Amino acid sequence: VGVPASWHPSIEEVPAGPLIALANEFFDALPIHQAVMCADGWHERVIKIGEDRQLHFSIDRDPIPLFDELLPSALSAARIGQVFEWRADKVALEIGRRVVRDGGAALIVDYGHVESAIGDTLQAVSGQAFADPLLRPGLVDLTAHVDFQALLAPLFVLLAAGTAFGVGLLLTVANVRYRDVRYAIPFLIN
């Protein structure tokens, strides 16, 4: 098609300007953190080398400070042994920030749950079959369900702020007498 393409190691290095982001099964492949509910609170799930010289899941010795306060309230009744997963939201926030700042759109196609939930969804796939995620590190595809509530909440706040600011500017430029979005809707449609 004659359109030059270039690769960037991170979203921050993509040049400024309108962004069209297409993310197909992208967020499920990003690293996750897991916490396991124990008798004394939530402990981060870690990987250790066992006596058999193999990798094994374990838990950190100390509970994660204040973790209960950071969890969605619907998850406060977790039972011992249950797992909660989360991802850093840096990439999602940067996409949202870029769309608000420079214009554009993002289409995110992935699988996961609409509301934050308890559950261990980490899995490995190799040769189109499930595999042990720790048996052959780097040689299997790792994936975990996307928590869309956690992923999209910061984006909605960012987009709502950007939209409110944008409508305010539009109304100011249009010299609308009443700064009320209800009066702007017919104007925006025309």
Side-chain angles (χ1 to χ4, degrees):
V1 263
V3 177
S6 56
W7 292 94
H8 301 279
S10 69
I11 183 91
E12 294 85 7
E13 294 183 29
V14 174
L19 175 73
I20 297 177
L22 304 174
N24 181 30
E25 293 192 10
F26 170 73
F27 287 98
D28 69 284
L30 293 178
I32 62 166
H33 297 273
Q34 291 183 319
V36 179
M37 178 54 129
C38 298
D40 62 342
W42 290 94
H43 292 249
E44 186 157 13
R45 192 176 190 190
V46 296
I47 298 171
K48 67 175 188 172
I49 299 175
E51 292 178 14
D52 60 358
R53 311 282 301 151
Q54 299 297 313
L55 298 176
H56 297 276
F57 286 114
S58 185
I59 59 168
D60 192 282
R61 183 182 73 225
D62 298 318
I64 303 170
L66 306 172
F67 194 73
D68 284 325
E69 295 178 25
L70 301 174
L71 279 177
S73 59
L75 307 179
S76 62
R79 296 184 310 275
I80 292 176
Q82 289 188 307
V83 175
F84 178 72
E85 300 172 335
W86 74 96
R87 288 179 172 81
D89 54 9
K90 180 180 176 183
V91 174
L93 283 172
E94 181 60 20
I95 290 171
R97 187 181 70 79
R98 293 285 301 272
V99 168
V100 167
R101 185 189 70 205
D102 299 333
L107 174 63
I108 299 169
V109 179
D110 228 312
Y111 59 92
H113 36 269
V114 176
E115 294 182 359
S116 297
I118 296 293
D120 179 0
T121 68
L122 177 65
Q123 57 188 330
V125 178
S126 178
Q128 299 181 353
F130 290 110
D132 180 337
L134 301 180
L135 191 58
R136 296 176 20 232
L139 301 176
V140 297
D141 293 326
L142 298 177
T143 182
H145 291 186
V146 176
D147 180 349
F148 282 101
Q149 180 179 2
L151 175 71
L152 296 178
L155 288 177
F156 283 134
V157 170
L158 190 61
L159 291 174
T163 301
F165 181 70
V167 169
L169 282 177
L170 176 68
L171 294 175
T172 301
V173 169
N175 198 20
V176 173
R177 183 173 178 181
Y178 301 100
R179 304 294 194 257
D180 190 332
V181 175
R182 291 176 296 176
Y183 298 105
I185 300 299
F187 176 77
L188 293 174
I189 293 173
N190 290 330

mmCIF file of all heavy atoms in Angstrom, residues 3 65 123 169:
data_model
loop_
_atom_site.group_PDB
_atom_site.id
_atom_site.type_symbol
_atom_site.label_atom_id
_atom_site.label_comp_id
_atom_site.label_asym_id
_atom_site.label_seq_id
_atom_site.Cartn_x
_atom_site.Cartn_y
_atom_site.Cartn_z
ATOM 1 N N VAL A 3 2.409 2.667 2.446
ATOM 2 C CA VAL A 3 2.422 3.419 3.699
ATOM 3 C C VAL A 3 3.570 2.884 4.546
ATOM 4 O O VAL A 3 3.625 1.687 4.825
ATOM 5 C CB VAL A 3 1.080 3.252 4.455
ATOM 6 C CG1 VAL A 3 1.136 3.971 5.791
ATOM 7 C CG2 VAL A 3 -0.074 3.758 3.612
ATOM 8 N N PRO A 65 1.010 -5.042 52.306
ATOM 9 C CA PRO A 65 0.405 -4.024 53.167
ATOM 10 C C PRO A 65 -0.780 -3.329 52.498
ATOM 11 O O PRO A 65 -0.726 -2.964 51.331
ATOM 12 C CB PRO A 65 1.542 -3.019 53.403
ATOM 13 C CG PRO A 65 2.793 -3.729 53.023
ATOM 14 C CD PRO A 65 2.406 -4.764 52.008
ATOM 15 N N GLN A 123 -2.464 -19.119 32.272
ATOM 16 C CA GLN A 123 -2.338 -20.382 31.549
ATOM 17 C C GLN A 123 -1.248 -20.262 30.493
ATOM 18 O O GLN A 123 -0.870 -19.174 30.086
ATOM 19 C CB GLN A 123 -3.662 -20.785 30.909
ATOM 20 C CG GLN A 123 -4.251 -19.769 29.962
ATOM 21 C CD GLN A 123 -5.650 -20.147 29.501
ATOM 22 O OE1 GLN A 123 -5.978 -21.309 29.401
ATOM 23 N NE2 GLN A 123 -6.462 -19.157 29.215
ATOM 24 N N LEU A 169 -14.489 23.822 25.966
ATOM 25 C CA LEU A 169 -13.807 24.669 24.985
ATOM 26 C C LEU A 169 -14.701 24.955 23.787
ATOM 27 O O LEU A 169 -14.764 26.085 23.298
ATOM 28 C CB LEU A 169 -12.521 23.999 24.508
ATOM 29 C CG LEU A 169 -11.319 24.073 25.429
ATOM 30 C CD1 LEU A 169 -10.149 23.302 24.827
ATOM 31 C CD2 LEU A 169 -10.913 25.519 25.655
#
